[in-house]
Amino acid sequence: MKDATTIGDELLNTLKLALHCVDPSPSARPEVQQVLHQLEEIKPEAVAGEWWNADPISVVRQATRTGAAPNISDAYTINGQPGDLYNCSSNDTVIVPINSGETNLIRVINAALNQELFFTIANHKFTVVGADAGYLKPFTTSVIMLGPGQTTDVLIKGDQAPGRYYIAAIPYQREWWDANPMDVVRESTRTGGSPNISDAYTINGQPGDLYNCSSKDTSIVPIDFGETNLLRIINAGLNQPLFFTVANHRLTVVGADASYIKPFTTSVVVLGPGQTTDVLITGDQPPGRYYIAARAYHTALNVPFDNTTTTAILDVKAIFQELLLF
């Protein structure tokens, strides 16, 4: 593990770079590629950003001119690379090396324009020790959420079998408004009231086929017949508890908020805002497609709320075996 002096140097160098980026003189501010290069030298960093198939300065100018949110980005990136899940001209994927048994400090930075992001590492937990250059009481989690421009310092230990594990950043937005979501939050902050009622709920960014939306894409979760998969369910709604269920399937709950619990089986789970629940699901039904659904849990009388249902699809695939005849 790095000593306190090394960690302090990394924090100081990052702070110096941040001050350089907000220099009063625009000509003195470094270019984006220079910033990424210097961050890589400070090491280790995980800078989550956005990528447009266009000049990003033009994107910002357009948003400034119209007063609307920036155009939707074409990809998210980590340290300037989108990774191997995008069909991009560059398929380079950032590799963060760590020795087995070693504990490293990683500064995670959300450099997206106005998009909150979840950050996670497959099969690993990390200990959050700081946020926005301030120290925190350490806590352990497997997913962190960062607002635009936010930094979070985490300790990660190479305690899994040697190999390669995905580092992923995904957008945080599981309610959808026919408006700029930042305006929704600002209005709520200004008035002190609850956010405006959302126009739709989403699963993995898609509202499903029960909404009359411009895009009728529905998220599909594939699973092989007879296979048991672990699903991490995250309620990323602003302030609405949600029910979650999968048609004709039972869920075995094994964890909540990055902590193991005594397993139990149910057909419906309820999650509060920001809560995560880990469930095991087995493809024990005939091959086919089954609805995944989430809707609001609401008990207050005469209080309006988004009473719609978002859907995704669990695609149970048949396994075909070759029969060799001699």
Side-chain angles (χ1 to χ4, degrees):
M1 180 174 174
K2 298 179 180 180
D3 57 33
T5 301
T6 302
I7 294 174
D9 289 343
E10 290 178 349
L11 295 177
L12 180 60
N13 289 335
T14 304
L15 179 59
K16 288 179 180 178
L17 178 58
L19 292 174
H20 194 194
C21 290
V22 294
D23 192 288
S25 173
S27 61
R29 299 170 191 166
E31 299 291 336
V32 174
Q33 292 302 323
Q34 292 175 317
V35 173
L36 292 174
H37 179 70
Q38 291 181 51
L39 286 173
E40 288 179 357
E41 288 183 345
I42 295 172
K43 288 285 189 183
E45 303 284 357
V47 183
E50 293 180 276
W51 178 85
W52 287 265
N53 189 21
D55 178 9
I57 301 301
S58 299
V59 174
V60 175
R61 288 191 182 126
Q62 175 72 4
T64 304
R65 185 180 65 82
T66 62
N71 293 339
I72 298 173
S73 58
D74 296 286
Y76 294 101
T77 63
I78 294 179
N79 290 3
Q81 299 294 343
D84 54 9
L85 300 183
Y86 290 99
N87 184 24
C88 298
S89 57
S90 171
N91 287 325
D92 293 334
T93 299
V94 171
I95 296 176
V96 180
I98 182 174
N99 294 326
S100 180
E102 181 181 71
T103 299
N104 277 14
L105 174 72
I106 295 180
R107 166 155 288 176
V108 187
I109 304 174
N110 181 359
L113 275 183
N114 68 344
Q115 178 64 63
E116 295 86 354
L117 293 173
F118 281 117
F119 179 88
T120 187
I121 301 177
N123 292 13
H124 286 75
K125 290 187 177 183
F126 26 73
T127 302
V128 178
V129 294
D132 296 327
Y135 292 107
L136 295 175
K137 181 179 180 180
F139 65 92
T140 300
T141 181
S142 55
V143 179
I144 58 175
M145 194 276 284
L146 302 96
Q150 185 180 357
T151 66
T152 300
D153 299 324
V154 300
L155 296 174
I156 182 167
K157 186 174 183 180
D159 54 4
Q160 300 298 310
R164 291 189 167 187
Y165 299 86
Y166 269 120
I167 301 173
I170 59 176
Y172 167 88
Q173 185 174 317
R174 295 301 176 263
E175 287 180 272
W176 182 85
W177 288 264
D178 189 14
N180 180 359
M182 298 307 296
D183 290 340
V184 174
V185 175
R186 289 191 188 105
E187 178 69 10
S188 174
T189 303
R190 186 182 66 81
T191 62
S194 298
N196 293 340
I197 298 173
S198 58
D199 295 286
Y201 297 110
T202 64
I203 295 177
N204 290 355
Q206 299 293 346
D209 54 10
L210 300 184
Y211 293 96
N212 185 24
C213 297
S214 57
S215 172
K216 293 187 177 180
D217 294 333
T218 299
S219 295
I220 297 176
V221 179
I223 183 175
D224 289 334
F225 176 74
E227 182 181 68
T228 298
N229 278 14
L230 176 69
L231 292 181
R232 168 154 289 171
I233 310 165
I234 305 171
N235 179 359
L238 274 184
N239 65 347
Q240 181 65 64
L242 294 171
F243 284 116
F244 177 91
T245 188
V246 181
N248 291 11
H249 286 74
R250 305 276 288 174
L251 308 170
T252 300
V253 180
V254 295
D257 295 330
S259 298
Y260 293 111
I261 63 173
K262 183 178 179 180
F264 66 92
T265 301
T266 181
S267 57
V268 179
V269 295
V270 62
L271 301 94
Q275 185 180 358
T276 67
T277 299
D278 299 329
V279 302
L280 296 175
I281 183 169
T282 300
D284 55 4
Q285 299 299 306
R289 291 189 163 190
Y290 300 84
Y291 266 128
I292 301 172
R295 64 176 292 119
Y297 168 75
H298 196 79
T299 58
L301 296 176
N302 302 319
V303 177
F305 68 102
D306 183 353
N307 192 25
T308 60
T309 301
T310 179
T311 58
I313 291 174
L314 180 74
D315 188 9
V316 181
K317 296 181 177 295
I319 300 177
F320 296 98
Q321 296 180 335
E322 283 190 349
L323 179 63
L324 299 181
L325 301 178
F326 295 94

